[in-house]
Amino acid sequence: MNWNDLATRLFGDRHDIREERDLLRGTATFDGATLCVLGTTNHAAIGYELALRQAAVVLGTIEDHPGRPILLLVDTQGQQLRRADEFLGINRAMAHLGCCIDLARRRGHAVIGVVYDQALSGGFITTGLLADECHALPEAEIRVMRLPAMARITKIPEATLAQLSQANPVFAPGVENYVAMGAVRSLWNPDDPASGLRTALAARNTRDVRAADGEQRGGRTAARPTVQKVLDAA
Amino acid sequence: MNRENFELHASRAATRTSYAECTARERLAHVVDAGSFREWLPPAERIMSPHLAQLGVPGAFDDGVAIGEARLAGQRVFAAAQEGAFMGGGVGEVHGAKLVGLFQRALRDKPAAVLLLADSGGVRLHEANAGLIGVSEVMRALLDVRAAGIPVIVLIGGANGCFGGMGIVARCADRIVMSDAGRLGMSGPEVIEASHGVEEFDSRDRALVWRTTGGAHRHRTGDCDVLVADDVVAFRDAAIDALGCTPVFTLEALQAEHRLLVDRLDTLQP
């Protein structure tokens, strides 16, 4: 779904979200409250500068509108794969964005992510994956890499990977798999995304429950018990 | 490096132990106080990846990371060391969960610091989805520890450097120590070359690779706080120095970081 459609389904005309060179930013009125809306579009590659432009919006919201909820609209092809970005320290810019989102949460801003188009690896890890909760539309695509590329790099036949991924969500792309692993809390009904957002905002889930969700849903069963073993180790 | 320094380096080289050439547990043994490292979930417990066997890929009894508690200059610290020889130090489900557990335990038990001896290409592609989520869980757990006032110190000097999600994790810490054998970044040169061609980044041009992500470059820009020789003693000394740092995780600190990174767009030209 394109961001305009999603914004209309969520907020009607009660929003001023604008697109500026792959960045989405603005405010919206939802159930009488003002939200900060921040995101990317056009399957943006998140480079050094785009990470900073997102961080600026988060910092501005923390400073000027304490407590205002932040909705992250995720659509990215992953990190920018350019030498100039590496030279500048793209990892530092992304860490900075992640720290800004984390600080917002700590200072009482609800931060909700929604993958409305696609979310790939490095572009997703310091936005939606650092929200209080991340959700997705059913048609969204989430992955680190496609099976052919994974087959090439791991030297495991693609057919084998395809077969294994039927039963094990760890191997395969797909939004359902990210639900099973606990990274995506729920899928929003595309005809009524407002219900999903309302539930997420009401939950105010500030603890990281993804490993527990992943275990309960059967998609990521080793993570939570391993964490517990470390806590219990004599 | 001037000639005198170079000779000083050369004379020490004969006696020093290369950090880069050590295994994860050797690095831990050299960095913390002698004999003080006590491992949690050691290889004997065989807490392994549940996924690699399905792929017919050999696993490791520690899933490529050693974690535990130790003393550093007499102070109680928690420490993790990634084993670069196992799948490039890649973060899988169990590997990531061990790091998360270490940080959660630090939040509960309040050691003087957490040391992370990174040697990783990032997410382990064989279990990529779980690794990606795991790295984001590590970031949240790490920032919880810093917000509680416990410093996190990252040491980078292994053959895999510190890339992908781990490159981001490192920059979430309070202090980064690197040797000039260390590299820090997001995407490796091969990945960039494969994506945008050899004109964008010639991965065989080693000088260019070092100028882009190497320890000396990162130190010049301030992305690494301390640059040391490839010497286990130098890493230990730098880690002890870092024990004194106090995490500052405030709006003002992030605003200052933001100004610094924005200025860099004008001042730092490749």
Side-chain angles (χ1 to χ4, degrees):
Chain A
M1 190 182 298
N2 71 45
W3 70 263
N4 256 305
D5 285 347
L6 176 61
T8 302
R9 290 183 199 198
L10 283 169
F11 311 120
D13 59 3
R14 296 178 306 282
H15 78 85
D16 61 7
I17 304 165
R18 292 285 176 272
E19 180 180 333
E20 308 163 355
R21 291 184 295 132
D22 291 346
L23 181 82
L24 300 175
R25 63 177 300 181
T27 56
T29 305
F30 186 78
D31 291 350
T34 303
L35 307 185
C36 163
V37 181
L38 167 64
T40 53
T41 188
N42 306 320
H43 307 337
I46 312 298
Y48 182 93
E49 196 209 357
L50 188 50
L52 293 187
R53 286 159 65 207
Q54 293 179 79
V57 175
V58 178
L59 289 175
T61 302
I62 296 173
E63 181 162 35
D64 299 333
H65 307 285
R68 178 178 281 182
I70 300 172
L71 176 64
L72 303 171
L73 303 180
V74 179
D75 175 28
T76 170
Q77 60 178 277
Q79 72 269 24
Q80 179 76 269
L81 297 168
R82 294 285 185 179
R83 194 182 82 83
D85 290 84
E86 287 299 323
F87 182 85
L88 282 164
I90 183 176
N91 61 308
R92 182 167 179 174
M94 286 194 166
H96 174 59
L97 171 58
C99 287
C100 291
I101 290 173
D102 196 84
L103 183 77
R105 293 180 27 243
R106 281 174 208 283
R107 293 176 59 127
H109 297 256
V111 181
I112 308 298
V114 58
V115 182
Y116 69 95
D117 195 322
Q118 69 171 35
L120 268 63
S121 60
F124 185 35
I125 197 164
T126 56
T127 60
L129 286 177
L130 288 188
D132 291 320
E133 292 186 357
C134 190
H135 300 262
L137 298 181
E139 68 198 40
E141 168 71 1
I142 306 180
R143 66 169 185 271
V144 175
M145 59 170 52
R146 290 197 179 91
L147 287 186
M150 187 173 159
R152 207 164 52 241
I153 289 171
T154 61
K155 300 183 174 57
I156 292 160
E158 191 181 335
T160 309
L161 290 174
Q163 196 202 344
L164 287 170
S165 60
Q166 299 293 318
N168 188 338
V170 162
F171 296 131
V175 70
E176 298 284 356
N177 287 332
Y178 275 78
V179 173
M181 290 181 290
V184 170
R185 188 123 178 99
S186 80
L187 298 182
W188 288 358
N189 177 353
D191 296 322
D192 179 24
S195 292
L197 178 58
R198 192 168 291 120
T199 305
L201 286 170
R204 292 310 316 272
N205 191 359
T206 55
R207 284 180 46 246
D208 192 345
V209 296
R210 293 175 292 176
D213 279 355
E215 183 184 31
Q216 203 170 28
R217 297 170 183 179
R220 200 163 52 108
T221 53
R224 197 215 50 85
T226 303
V227 169
Q228 192 59 46
K229 283 191 182 98
V230 178
L231 291 170
D232 295 342
Chain B
M1 189 182 304
N2 66 34
R3 182 162 181 85
E4 249 170 69
N5 274 343
F6 182 81
E7 282 168 2
L8 188 68
H9 255 73
S11 69
R12 274 201 64 193
T15 54
R16 75 189 187 200
T17 301
S18 162
Y19 182 92
E21 288 170 19
C22 286
T23 67
R25 286 183 185 75
E26 287 168 352
R27 285 175 190 155
L28 282 168
H30 284 295
V31 167
V32 302
D33 296 352
S36 72
F37 180 66
R38 214 157 60 81
E39 186 166 350
W40 294 320
L41 280 53
E45 292 185 27
R46 302 196 176 190
I47 312 292
M48 300 172 69
S49 164
H51 311 296
L52 294 177
Q54 290 183 52
L55 297 172
V57 173
F61 291 156
D62 57 7
D63 206 38
V65 63
I67 59 166
E69 64 179 333
R71 298 272 162 184
L72 181 63
Q75 299 198 58
R76 186 189 190 205
V77 296
F78 288 3
Q82 296 177 303
E83 179 49 68
F86 178 66
M87 311 207 81
V91 180
E93 179 172 352
V94 168
H95 183 125
K98 286 175 78 173
L99 294 174
V100 171
L102 187 77
F103 284 112
Q104 288 190 3
R105 187 162 176 159
L107 190 63
R108 183 188 74 190
D109 296 351
K110 309 272 188 290
V114 180
L115 308 185
L116 176 55
L117 281 58
D119 191 353
S120 176
V123 167
R124 181 186 300 162
L125 293 173
H126 299 72
E127 39 190 291
N129 294 342
L132 182 75
I133 300 163
V135 170
S136 75
E137 290 171 328
V138 172
M139 288 175 65
R140 282 186 66 166
L142 183 159
L143 293 173
D144 280 343
V145 165
R146 289 189 61 211
I150 302 162
V152 178
I153 302 159
V154 176
L155 311 184
I156 302 168
N160 297 285
C162 184
F163 281 91
M166 288 307 299
I168 302 175
V169 167
R171 280 302 327 171
C172 289
D174 295 283
R175 189 72 66 93
I176 295 182
V177 179
M178 291 178 77
S179 69
D180 43 20
R183 290 183 297 143
L184 170 62
M186 184 77 202
S187 307
E190 291 83 5
V191 175
I192 293 175
E193 183 181 319
S195 169
H196 283 98
V198 69
E199 310 76 29
E200 177 68 26
F201 200 164
D202 181 353
S203 64
R204 283 166 306 177
D205 183 343
R206 301 320 288 174
L208 184 65
V209 169
W210 290 108
R211 278 207 306 281
T212 306
T213 56
H217 168 59
R218 293 305 186 210
H219 185 246
R220 202 158 39 239
T221 61
D223 286 7
C224 123
D225 303 285
V226 189
L227 187 67
V228 298
D230 176 29
D231 176 356
V232 292
V233 175
F235 271 99
R236 171 177 162 80
D237 290 346
I240 291 170
D241 275 350
L243 279 177
C245 70
T246 308
V248 182
F249 194 49
T250 61
L251 178 59
E252 293 70 28
L254 289 182
Q255 286 170 330
E257 170 79 354
H258 195 81
R259 284 190 296 272
L260 184 155
L261 294 180
V262 169
D263 286 348
R264 197 179 267 195
L265 280 166
D266 295 322
T267 57
L268 198 63
Q269 301 297 331

